[in-house]
Amino acid sequence: MEMRQLRGWLVRLFGLFSRKQREREFAEELESHLAFHIEDNLRAGMSPEEARRRALIKLGGVTLTQELHREQRGLPMLETLFQDLRFGLRMLRKHPSSTLIAILTLAVGIGASSALFSLFDALMWRTLSAPQPEQLVLFRRAESSNRTIYDVSYPIFERLREQPQVFTEVAANWLIERSEPAANPGADSGQVRVGMASGNYFATLGVEAVSGRTFTPDDNRVPGGHPVAVISHGYWQSRFALAPDIVGRTLTLTGTTYTIIGVTPRGFTGEWVGRPADLWVPFMMASQVMPEVPGGSAKFPALVIARLKPDVSQAQAQAASQLIYQQSLLAEAGSNLTAEQRQFIAQRRIELESAASGYSAQRQALTQPLAILAGMVGLVLLAVCANVANLLLARAATREREMAVRQALGAGRVRIARQLLTESLLLALAGGAAGLLFAVWGTNLLSAMLMAGPLSTGIEDNSLVLYLRLDGRVIACAALMCLFICLVVGLAPAFRSSQVALTAALKERSTGNAGRGRGRFSLGKLLVITQVALSLVLLVGAGLFLRTLRNLQSQETGFERNQLLMVWAAPVRTGRTVPALADFAQSVQQRLATLPGVQSVSVSTGGLLDGNVRGGQSETLQMQGQTPKPGLAISSLGVSPGFFATVGTPLLAGRDFTAQDGETAPQVAILSETMARFFFGNENPIGKRFNAMGGTGFPLEIVGVAKDAKLGTPRDSRGAWYFPYRQNARFLRLNWCIALRTSGEPTTLTASVNQALRELDPSLPVLRFTTLEEQLNRVLAQERLLAALAGFFGVLAALLACLGLYGVIAYTVARRTHEIGLRLALGATPMNVLWRVLRESLWLALGGIALGIPAALAATRLISARLYGVSPNDPLTLVAAMLLMLGVAVASALVPARRAANVDPMVALRHE
Amino acid sequence: MNEKTDVWQGTMALMVLKTLEALGPQHGYGIARRIEQTSENVLALNYGTVYPALVKLEQEGYIAAEWGVSDNNRKAKFYKLTRAGRKQLAKETQKWETTTAILARFFVPPQES
């Protein structure tokens, strides 16, 4: 039965192709039918006329029969669709310029949205490539101070693992950037991301090797005893060119040689979003991978990920884990606890969160800029819709007569609306296709900008490696958007055209009737006003972001900008331990100071616009003779003697550090101006003592006060204190900033500096050479991205508003040619006419501004946290944006206004 | 009240098949006429409505069409049952009989017990 029906549909589908022939054949069949009937009627004694009449009546009408036959034979819906499509294409081709503009604007709107979608997808939504990712959970520690920490120590992990009631598996992993000196001496190109994984890590995630095997618990028993590695598919490809004999090969990492035992499937890069792992080694190798962390595995950080049992809820698992956590904290603390300590432990909680879409340290930091970006793109999409709707509306207006004729010939309203919707669907599809091209470009741009994050001095690298890709979901998103736009944009003109007043439209032989022009186009005017308002919001946002960027760029950094070269290096990866690092720092300083063109050299543990914004709270510092004082974030920096002179930060009081301030000498510190004033007001801080490292007494003596400098970002308002790096050498495990004061152009020295560093130690990873200007640009990457995108979208929206205004004004002028001619004939000057047209455009713009200002004020409140040195209600920006929109209004009305002023009264009056 | 009833789609197909079984190959006019006669003019049949039914049956492969010449030498398109059509007719006939038999029981006057 179903087969037969299917056959029927297929025959009908193919029937579409031989329509004419079948039509002819049926006409013949009907002819013979009538002939039979007439013959019978004649035989029954009717007159020839009567016979024919009766036969026709009995048939039910030739046309109706043909119609019924046609409907059954073909697929009427499809045929109409083809008709509509053909006609729509013809209409679009008839107005190539407006079609092109519509497609291009749609492309920008859809492209921007798709690019943004792919970014959200990569950072927030994409699930891990592991089976049943929804069962995976991450542990995080919540401390009393509301900080959330994902690093759960390895001993705690081991206790959690021994509780199989709620989890099928509990695994630990910690990811770290290392370089592979054996592969690429000196340079940083050999950098790899190494995961230190517990033996059941891959089993927990459910990932199996495509070649060789993954770890088993037996690979993670003895500290330092398992030199084996599992590599990712990507690393197999990039480093080993997919060599088939990969299992059994070796690689060297911070002095240890590992045997490769397996490769993970393509697409699996671990659970850290934005930091794809290249290889994994057993957690027991942590001391070998991270020689800078002292004290064995107890001190190693670990991200703990677990798979819930199918019938266990996250809340149950969390309650069970909390119990274990408390027990292990109490066991760790020992038996003689004070009430205070007990209370402190009781406050510590461990929580679970879904790990279905992985873990990212940056997710939280990027949420706000991404939300702003999404807001901007949403506004742009609205502006695009308004623009395309306006174009279609204008086109529909010129087709009123055509629509009236169609209705008069019997076309239903639905039929006409469908025709117009088909046209807008065509536009949306073309725009969507072009938009995907635009999205590819936008996606690449976004990922490039995201990767250019600042360099952190911490153990973790802050840059983000996201695989933004245009997959099926992005394309589906674009397609949905097309459909949405098509409906929104197509419905307005469709609705209007379907209620054309028939006789009026037919009688109206030309566009000469001025009186009707006003009410007719009100929807178009409303759209234009909306466009102006949207552009204003975007322009105000762009202005504020630009001013923020400018303020940040011109912000006094506290450093002498020119003739300063900075070399960022990660000496800890050479495998040196603490005392050796201090000696190495000294030899680097001495060696580089001998280079020609170098005036002075200093080494610090980062600190020159390094992008780091973390800082301790002021109450943790204990000033002698003062009670703890909260209210200021404070960072600290280990520096070499000569640091202040080299980077150009003036000392306001006291002395600089010298070579005498060594490990055994009395501990000394230099305070930033802000920190000195915070603790001591106008008192002289020199000679005062404080405690910053815990323990008893006040070992640090303040020997100087330095001018404030932007150690992290230009927004930095933290206090800071400096110490001689030898007196706290463990901080040398952070990335170094080697600063060189040069006598000439700093960048000309990079080659000789690189050469000198290689001579000192070929395994030293040099991360990058920068000037202060470059460092500023890196740190401000997000600000630059926001300013650039806001500027681009603002200008785009303004251009679209310009087009919209032009369309409306030009249409009005065309409609009123007759009236204008009359006015001119009655003595109006061309200037009068020009002004009348301009005034109309200005009124529309003012309407848009009146709508846009409150919207802009509401929107800027949302972005106030991102602004710097400028109020969200900055009058200058608001006025500039308003003036710009008025300028746009004048510019877009100028051409039609001149056309109106140049109307020849005689021609216009004769013109019907 | 109009005594003559309209023919609805499904039964039309069955009537056409039954007619073709009875008459052998026949043209559209012949079929329409025969249906009307068989119903003893109770059916107010517009002859034109036969044609969509014929097209549908042809699409589903139950009947086949061929141009030919009638007894009085007139060119006409003749429809005949295919093998699938005969099977379908048997099936539909049985279904129809079952349905009517069931319905008939509902219309039997209630017997006194």
Side-chain angles (χ1 to χ4, degrees):
Chain A
M1 186 66 188
E2 280 73 29
M3 272 305 294
R4 289 282 158 188
Q5 268 166 359
L6 187 67
R7 182 194 141 114
W9 284 108
L10 280 177
V11 172
R12 288 172 83 166
L13 190 64
F14 284 113
L16 294 178
F17 298 105
S18 50
R19 233 174 32 191
K20 286 225 172 96
Q21 192 216 322
R22 283 171 183 255
E23 200 91 337
R24 236 186 356 253
E25 197 183 321
F26 186 62
E28 273 177 53
E29 190 174 359
L30 273 186
E31 220 169 88
S32 94
H33 173 105
L34 286 173
F36 280 121
H37 203 166
I38 291 169
E39 210 166 274
D40 279 355
N41 285 353
L42 286 174
R43 217 175 288 143
M46 295 183 200
S47 70
E49 289 78 27
E50 185 65 5
R52 185 169 179 77
R53 203 176 69 83
R54 284 284 180 87
L56 280 173
I57 289 172
K58 193 68 198 156
L59 181 72
V62 174
T63 320
L64 184 63
T65 308
Q66 275 174 333
E67 193 59 41
L68 285 173
H69 179 258
R70 206 174 286 143
E71 266 172 30
Q72 177 58 44
R73 192 199 52 227
L75 292 166
M77 288 248 310
L78 213 58
E79 277 168 53
T80 335
L81 181 68
F82 281 148
Q83 227 173 36
D84 283 352
L85 282 178
R86 259 202 311 272
F87 189 74
L89 275 177
R90 211 181 309 144
M91 286 315 290
L92 293 182
R93 266 212 308 272
K94 215 171 132 190
H95 307 274
S97 58
S98 74
T99 301
L100 198 69
I101 289 171
I103 289 178
L104 279 182
T105 47
L106 278 173
V108 172
I110 292 173
S113 323
S114 307
L116 191 72
F117 180 90
S118 66
L119 182 59
F120 268 98
D121 177 45
L123 191 65
M124 312 270 184
W125 298 330
R126 193 181 302 159
T127 52
L128 290 179
S129 101
Q132 278 145 337
E134 69 284 350
Q135 290 177 348
L136 294 173
V137 287
L138 263 175
F139 291 83
R140 58 168 192 236
R141 289 189 288 144
E143 306 263 297
S144 53
S145 58
N146 288 333
R147 279 209 309 163
T148 307
I149 303 159
Y150 287 88
D151 146 28
V152 178
S153 71
Y154 198 81
I156 303 267
F157 153 67
E158 285 180 314
R159 289 198 175 241
L160 289 169
R161 191 173 51 180
E162 285 156 16
Q163 309 293 326
Q165 294 92 336
V166 287
F167 304 113
T168 45
E169 292 277 4
V170 183
N173 183 35
W174 189 254
L175 196 64
I176 187 167
E177 275 73 18
R178 296 282 97 150
S179 63
E180 204 186 340
N184 238 338
D188 190 44
S189 51
Q191 180 167 330
V192 290
R193 287 192 184 78
V194 187
M196 292 175 292
S198 61
N200 61 348
Y201 171 71
F202 292 102
T204 306
L205 291 178
V207 171
E208 280 165 22
V210 288
S211 179
R213 63 177 181 90
T214 58
F215 297 141
T216 65
D218 285 334
D219 291 310
N220 196 39
R221 299 249 185 249
V222 189
H226 305 282
V228 289
V230 171
I231 64 173
S232 75
H233 193 280
Y235 193 59
W236 183 28
Q237 189 162 25
S238 64
R239 170 77 167 74
F240 297 99
L242 297 178
D245 60 338
I246 184 67
V247 174
R249 286 226 207 165
T250 60
L251 53 87
T252 307
L253 206 65
T254 44
T256 308
T257 300
Y258 296 84
T259 307
I260 295 169
I261 58 167
V263 181
T264 60
R266 178 195 292 273
F268 177 78
T269 53
E271 75 283 15
W272 297 63
V273 174
R275 289 175 76 204
D278 294 311
L279 61 106
W280 293 265
V281 298
F283 212 104
M284 285 298 152
M285 302 304 288
S287 293
Q288 282 66 38
V289 177
M290 296 170 70
E292 72 271 22
V293 177
S297 72
K299 289 284 169 62
F300 283 115
L303 193 74
V304 179
I305 191 164
R307 189 175 279 279
L308 289 176
K309 284 201 159 167
D311 49 346
V312 172
S313 76
Q314 195 169 310
Q316 284 172 309
Q318 177 161 322
S321 310
Q322 171 67 11
L323 203 64
I324 300 158
Y325 185 56
Q326 286 289 325
Q327 284 169 357
S328 50
L329 284 178
L330 285 170
E332 225 171 75
S335 50
N336 300 324
L337 285 176
T338 64
E340 212 173 51
Q341 280 170 313
R342 277 184 191 284
Q343 201 194 341
F344 178 70
I345 288 178
Q347 278 177 352
R348 297 177 68 177
R349 279 168 293 121
I350 199 156
E351 294 169 352
L352 296 183
E353 68 175 42
S354 166
S357 49
Y359 163 76
S360 167
Q362 281 101 335
R363 211 176 262 164
Q364 214 153 16
L366 280 173
T367 304
Q368 198 189 30
L370 277 180
I372 293 174
L373 207 58
M376 289 197 294
V377 168
L379 287 179
V380 168
L381 204 61
L382 279 180
V384 163
C385 282
N387 190 56
V388 177
N390 217 339
L391 284 172
L392 286 181
L393 209 56
R395 190 179 295 169
T398 63
R399 283 165 65 186
E400 252 169 37
R401 253 173 70 82
E402 174 204 329
M403 295 303 159
V405 170
R406 282 165 159 249
Q407 280 198 3
L409 290 178
R413 279 182 180 186
V414 176
R415 183 72 189 73
I416 288 184
R418 199 162 80 183
Q419 165 73 47
L420 288 169
L421 275 179
T422 310
E423 281 181 45
S424 62
L425 179 68
L426 272 177
L427 265 187
L429 283 180
L436 279 181
L437 292 179
F438 186 79
V440 171
W441 176 76
T443 307
N444 291 341
L445 187 79
L446 271 181
S447 39
M449 280 177 147
L450 277 176
M451 268 188 258
L455 180 76
S456 168
T457 51
I459 291 174
E460 282 178 50
D461 188 347
N462 261 344
S463 70
L464 199 56
V465 184
L466 288 179
Y467 291 113
L468 300 188
R469 50 178 192 201
L470 289 172
D471 58 6
R473 288 167 41 178
V474 178
I475 291 168
C477 155
L480 265 180
M481 220 132 37
C482 284
L483 214 64
F484 169 76
I485 289 172
C486 151
L487 281 178
V488 168
V489 157
L491 272 181
F495 178 71
R496 260 209 13 201
S497 302
S498 63
Q499 44 178 328
V500 168
L502 264 191
T503 36
L506 282 176
K507 263 195 260 162
E508 189 186 0
R509 295 196 43 87
S510 74
T511 52
N513 191 340
R516 288 166 32 97
R518 286 191 170 269
R520 283 257 68 138
F521 220 57
S522 56
L523 187 55
K525 283 182 180 165
L526 198 66
L527 284 172
V528 167
I529 287 174
T530 315
Q531 276 184 287
V532 172
L534 288 171
S535 321
L536 191 79
V537 175
L538 282 166
L539 282 175
V540 168
L544 291 177
F545 282 131
L546 275 175
R547 293 200 61 191
T548 296
L549 182 63
R550 185 89 77 71
N551 288 342
L552 288 171
Q553 277 171 337
S554 58
Q555 179 69 27
E556 177 58 48
T557 58
F559 305 115
E560 185 57 49
R561 288 190 180 215
N562 300 320
Q563 297 173 340
L564 186 63
L565 180 68
M566 297 186 283
V567 187
W568 301 82
V572 73
R573 297 190 204 158
T574 60
R576 284 182 172 80
T577 50
V578 169
L581 280 172
D583 295 337
F584 184 57
Q586 194 170 0
S587 49
V588 164
Q589 204 182 347
Q590 281 165 357
R591 173 74 184 86
L592 294 184
T594 63
L595 291 176
V598 175
Q599 291 180 340
S600 64
V601 181
S602 71
V603 173
S604 59
T605 55
L608 290 95
L609 290 171
D610 60 12
N612 200 339
V613 290
R614 272 174 281 190
Q617 294 303 314
S618 53
E619 64 264 33
T620 60
L621 296 180
Q622 188 59 51
M623 297 288 151
Q624 190 172 23
Q626 289 190 11
T627 48
K629 187 179 176 190
L632 184 71
I634 289 175
S635 62
S636 62
L637 195 66
V639 301
S640 68
F643 170 79
F644 297 98
T646 305
V647 300
T649 304
L651 281 173
L652 301 174
R655 65 167 178 92
D656 190 1
F657 300 132
T658 67
Q660 276 71 53
D661 297 316
E663 290 92 333
T664 52
Q667 292 191 39
V668 289
I670 293 176
L671 266 51
S672 77
E673 209 183 337
T674 300
M675 179 173 164
R677 199 175 311 114
F678 178 78
F679 281 109
F680 302 105
N682 293 326
E683 241 178 291
N684 181 10
I686 307 287
K688 296 267 181 355
R689 306 185 70 85
F690 69 104
N691 181 341
M693 306 286 183
T696 53
F698 302 93
L700 284 156
E701 185 193 345
I702 300 167
V703 296
V705 175
K707 201 163 174 255
D708 281 336
K710 302 295 183 186
L711 300 184
T713 72
R715 293 177 192 263
D716 203 342
S717 58
R718 295 174 296 176
W721 63 278
Y722 306 84
F723 55 87
Y725 63 68
R726 279 189 174 276
Q727 293 189 346
N728 230 324
R730 64 193 171 97
F731 283 90
L732 289 173
R733 291 195 303 255
L734 301 173
N735 287 346
W736 292 2
C737 174
I738 306 164
L740 299 99
R741 174 66 51 191
T742 63
S743 46
E745 180 57 37
T747 46
T748 55
L749 284 174
T750 49
S752 59
V753 170
N754 200 21
Q755 176 69 27
L757 287 175
R758 279 190 182 217
E759 282 165 17
L760 274 174
D761 184 351
S763 73
L764 173 70
V766 175
L767 304 180
R768 92 184 26 134
F769 288 86
T770 56
T771 62
L772 205 67
E773 224 60 48
E774 285 166 10
Q775 198 61 29
L776 196 59
N777 276 340
R778 275 182 181 278
V779 176
L780 294 178
Q782 251 180 32
E783 276 81 3
R784 282 189 303 143
L785 178 70
L786 281 180
L789 287 175
F792 172 72
F793 288 141
V795 168
L796 181 80
L799 276 177
L800 293 184
C802 188
L803 279 173
L805 275 167
Y806 170 81
V808 170
I809 300 297
Y811 177 80
T812 323
V813 167
R815 282 220 159 214
R816 288 160 62 179
T817 313
H818 186 82
E819 177 208 330
I820 291 167
L822 202 63
R823 282 178 187 279
L824 284 169
L826 291 177
T829 64
M831 268 315 281
N832 277 340
V833 171
L834 192 84
W835 172 238
R836 282 183 73 90
V837 177
L838 283 185
R839 203 175 52 184
E840 178 151 6
S841 174
L842 283 174
W843 271 119
L844 285 174
L846 282 175
I849 288 170
L851 203 66
I853 291 286
L857 289 181
T860 52
R861 191 162 314 154
L862 300 177
I863 59 169
S864 56
R866 308 289 311 177
L867 301 180
Y868 187 81
V870 56
S871 135
N873 305 331
D874 181 40
L876 190 68
T877 310
L878 283 174
V879 169
M882 277 193 272
L883 285 180
L884 197 66
M885 284 327 291
L886 288 179
V888 163
V890 171
S892 52
L894 218 50
V895 172
R898 299 242 335 244
R899 200 182 300 146
N902 290 338
V903 162
D904 182 343
M906 290 315 288
V907 174
L909 289 175
R910 269 194 223 115
H911 179 75
E912 223 180 342
Chain B
M1 212 187 194
N2 195 352
E3 285 296 305
K4 300 189 173 185
T5 40
D6 285 329
V7 182
W8 68 100
Q9 269 279 326
T11 37
M12 171 69 97
L14 188 54
M15 284 185 229
V16 168
L17 291 178
K18 198 76 195 163
T19 308
L20 285 177
E21 190 193 35
L23 298 185
Q26 188 55 265
H27 46 71
Y29 172 70
I31 296 170
R33 177 111 201 196
R34 166 80 182 194
I35 289 175
E36 203 172 44
Q37 280 169 358
T38 312
S39 79
E40 290 165 354
N41 290 333
V42 178
L43 285 176
L45 185 67
N46 267 343
Y47 288 178
T49 53
V50 177
Y51 287 98
L54 284 171
V55 169
K56 186 159 191 285
L57 287 170
E58 191 185 353
Q59 282 165 353
E60 287 168 355
Y62 296 135
I63 59 176
E66 206 176 20
W67 283 95
V69 180
S70 74
D71 304 335
N72 47 2
N73 246 354
R74 202 174 282 285
K75 207 178 145 201
K77 196 171 184 180
F78 284 87
Y79 296 90
K80 64 171 187 205
L81 275 181
T82 61
R83 199 204 295 234
R86 278 181 208 288
K87 253 192 243 166
Q88 173 73 2
L89 180 59
K91 215 163 84 186
E92 288 291 310
T93 311
Q94 210 213 325
K95 214 163 100 187
W96 182 257
E97 278 166 358
T98 319
T99 313
T100 45
I102 292 169
L103 275 177
R105 280 181 214 156
F106 283 89
F107 292 106
V108 171
Q111 291 177 352
E112 305 204 12
S113 55

Short mmCIF file of all heavy atoms in Angstrom, two decimals, chain A residues 181-208:
data_model
loop_
_atom_site.label_atom_id
_atom_site.label_comp_id
_atom_site.label_asym_id
_atom_site.label_seq_id
_atom_site.Cartn_x
_atom_site.Cartn_y
_atom_site.Cartn_z
N PRO A 181 63.87 20.80 24.87
CA PRO A 181 65.14 21.36 24.41
C PRO A 181 65.87 20.46 23.43
O PRO A 181 66.53 20.94 22.52
CB PRO A 181 65.96 21.51 25.70
CG PRO A 181 65.01 21.31 26.81
CD PRO A 181 63.88 20.51 26.29
N ALA A 182 65.73 19.16 23.61
CA ALA A 182 66.45 18.26 22.73
C ALA A 182 66.00 18.45 21.28
O ALA A 182 66.78 18.29 20.36
CB ALA A 182 66.23 16.82 23.16
N ALA A 183 64.73 18.76 21.10
CA ALA A 183 64.22 18.90 19.73
C ALA A 183 64.61 20.24 19.14
O ALA A 183 64.90 20.36 17.97
CB ALA A 183 62.71 18.75 19.73
N ASN A 184 64.62 21.27 19.97
CA ASN A 184 64.76 22.61 19.42
C ASN A 184 65.53 23.48 20.39
O ASN A 184 64.95 24.22 21.17
CB ASN A 184 63.36 23.20 19.22
CG ASN A 184 63.14 23.58 17.79
OD1 ASN A 184 64.10 23.78 17.05
ND2 ASN A 184 61.89 23.67 17.41
N PRO A 185 66.84 23.40 20.39
CA PRO A 185 67.61 24.07 21.43
C PRO A 185 67.36 25.57 21.43
O PRO A 185 67.32 26.20 20.37
CB PRO A 185 69.06 23.75 21.08
CG PRO A 185 69.04 22.85 19.91
CD PRO A 185 67.68 22.78 19.37
N GLY A 186 67.17 26.11 22.62
CA GLY A 186 67.11 27.56 22.75
C GLY A 186 65.78 28.17 22.42
O GLY A 186 65.17 28.81 23.25
N ALA A 187 65.30 27.93 21.25
CA ALA A 187 64.09 28.62 20.81
C ALA A 187 62.88 28.04 21.52
O ALA A 187 62.93 26.97 22.11
CB ALA A 187 63.92 28.47 19.32
N ASP A 188 61.78 28.76 21.45
CA ASP A 188 60.60 28.37 22.17
C ASP A 188 59.66 27.53 21.31
O ASP A 188 58.64 27.08 21.75
CB ASP A 188 59.86 29.62 22.64
CG ASP A 188 58.76 29.25 23.60
OD1 ASP A 188 59.01 28.41 24.47
OD2 ASP A 188 57.65 29.78 23.45
N SER A 189 60.04 27.32 20.06
CA SER A 189 59.12 26.63 19.15
C SER A 189 58.90 25.19 19.59
O SER A 189 57.95 24.55 19.16
CB SER A 189 59.66 26.67 17.73
OG SER A 189 61.00 26.21 17.75
N GLY A 190 59.79 24.70 20.44
CA GLY A 190 59.63 23.33 20.91
C GLY A 190 58.71 23.23 22.11
O GLY A 190 58.72 22.23 22.82
N GLN A 191 57.90 24.28 22.36
CA GLN A 191 57.06 24.24 23.54
C GLN A 191 55.94 23.21 23.41
O GLN A 191 55.29 23.12 22.38
CB GLN A 191 56.45 25.63 23.77
CG GLN A 191 55.56 25.64 24.99
CD GLN A 191 55.24 27.06 25.40
OE1 GLN A 191 56.02 27.96 25.19
NE2 GLN A 191 54.07 27.24 25.99
N VAL A 192 55.75 22.44 24.45
CA VAL A 192 54.67 21.46 24.44
C VAL A 192 53.84 21.62 25.71
O VAL A 192 54.32 22.12 26.72
CB VAL A 192 55.21 20.01 24.39
CG1 VAL A 192 55.82 19.71 23.05
CG2 VAL A 192 56.19 19.75 25.51
N ARG A 193 52.59 21.17 25.62
CA ARG A 193 51.74 21.15 26.81
C ARG A 193 51.70 19.72 27.32
O ARG A 193 51.31 18.81 26.60
CB ARG A 193 50.34 21.62 26.47
CG ARG A 193 50.27 23.10 26.23
CD ARG A 193 48.83 23.57 26.19
NE ARG A 193 48.81 24.98 25.86
CZ ARG A 193 48.99 25.43 24.62
NH1 ARG A 193 49.15 24.59 23.63
NH2 ARG A 193 48.98 26.73 24.38
N VAL A 194 52.16 19.57 28.55
CA VAL A 194 52.27 18.24 29.12
C VAL A 194 51.22 18.05 30.19
O VAL A 194 51.09 18.89 31.08
CB VAL A 194 53.66 18.04 29.77
CG1 VAL A 194 53.83 16.61 30.20
CG2 VAL A 194 54.75 18.46 28.81
N GLY A 195 50.46 16.98 30.08
CA GLY A 195 49.53 16.63 31.13
C GLY A 195 50.17 15.60 32.04
O GLY A 195 50.75 14.64 31.56
N MET A 196 50.09 15.85 33.34
CA MET A 196 50.56 14.83 34.28
C MET A 196 49.32 14.12 34.77
O MET A 196 48.49 14.71 35.46
CB MET A 196 51.33 15.49 35.41
CG MET A 196 52.64 16.08 34.91
SD MET A 196 53.48 16.98 36.19
CE MET A 196 52.40 18.35 36.41
N ALA A 197 49.18 12.85 34.37
CA ALA A 197 47.90 12.18 34.55
C ALA A 197 48.03 11.00 35.48
O ALA A 197 49.05 10.32 35.50
CB ALA A 197 47.38 11.70 33.19
N SER A 198 46.97 10.77 36.26
CA SER A 198 46.95 9.56 37.09
C SER A 198 46.73 8.36 36.17
O SER A 198 46.31 8.51 35.03
CB SER A 198 45.83 9.67 38.12
OG SER A 198 44.59 9.79 37.48
N GLY A 199 47.00 7.17 36.70
CA GLY A 199 46.96 5.97 35.87
C GLY A 199 45.61 5.70 35.25
O GLY A 199 45.52 5.14 34.15
N ASN A 200 44.53 6.12 35.92
CA ASN A 200 43.20 5.83 35.39
C ASN A 200 42.60 7.02 34.62
O ASN A 200 41.42 7.04 34.35
CB ASN A 200 42.26 5.44 36.54
CG ASN A 200 42.11 6.58 37.53
OD1 ASN A 200 42.87 7.55 37.49
ND2 ASN A 200 41.15 6.47 38.43
N TYR A 201 43.44 7.99 34.30
CA TYR A 201 42.94 9.22 33.66
C TYR A 201 42.16 8.91 32.38
O TYR A 201 41.04 9.37 32.19
CB TYR A 201 44.12 10.15 33.38
CG TYR A 201 43.81 11.36 32.53
CD1 TYR A 201 43.05 12.40 33.04
CD2 TYR A 201 44.30 11.46 31.24
CE1 TYR A 201 42.78 13.51 32.26
CE2 TYR A 201 44.03 12.56 30.45
CZ TYR A 201 43.26 13.59 30.96
OH TYR A 201 42.98 14.68 30.20
N PHE A 202 42.78 8.11 31.51
CA PHE A 202 42.13 7.85 30.23
C PHE A 202 40.91 6.95 30.41
O PHE A 202 39.91 7.10 29.72
CB PHE A 202 43.12 7.23 29.25
CG PHE A 202 44.20 8.19 28.84
CD1 PHE A 202 45.47 8.12 29.38
CD2 PHE A 202 43.92 9.19 27.93
CE1 PHE A 202 46.45 9.02 29.02
CE2 PHE A 202 44.91 10.10 27.55
CZ PHE A 202 46.18 10.01 28.11
N ALA A 203 41.00 6.03 31.38
CA ALA A 203 39.86 5.16 31.65
C ALA A 203 38.68 5.99 32.16
O ALA A 203 37.52 5.74 31.81
CB ALA A 203 40.25 4.10 32.67
N THR A 204 38.96 7.01 32.97
CA THR A 204 37.90 7.86 33.50
C THR A 204 37.19 8.60 32.38
O THR A 204 35.98 8.67 32.32
CB THR A 204 38.50 8.89 34.49
OG1 THR A 204 39.22 8.19 35.47
CG2 THR A 204 37.40 9.72 35.12
N LEU A 205 37.99 9.15 31.46
CA LEU A 205 37.39 9.89 30.36
C LEU A 205 36.80 8.95 29.32
O LEU A 205 36.00 9.38 28.49
CB LEU A 205 38.43 10.80 29.71
CG LEU A 205 38.90 11.96 30.59
CD1 LEU A 205 39.97 12.76 29.88
CD2 LEU A 205 37.73 12.87 30.93
N GLY A 206 37.20 7.69 29.36
CA GLY A 206 36.68 6.75 28.37
C GLY A 206 37.37 6.87 27.03
O GLY A 206 36.77 6.61 25.99
N VAL A 207 38.64 7.27 27.06
CA VAL A 207 39.38 7.46 25.81
C VAL A 207 40.34 6.29 25.61
O VAL A 207 41.09 5.93 26.53
CB VAL A 207 40.16 8.78 25.85
CG1 VAL A 207 41.11 8.89 24.67
CG2 VAL A 207 39.20 9.95 25.87
N GLU A 208 40.27 5.69 24.44
CA GLU A 208 41.16 4.58 24.15
C GLU A 208 42.17 4.98 23.10
O GLU A 208 41.91 5.84 22.26
CB GLU A 208 40.35 3.37 23.67
CG GLU A 208 39.73 2.63 24.84
CD GLU A 208 38.64 1.67 24.40
OE1 GLU A 208 38.65 1.29 23.21
OE2 GLU A 208 37.80 1.33 25.24
#
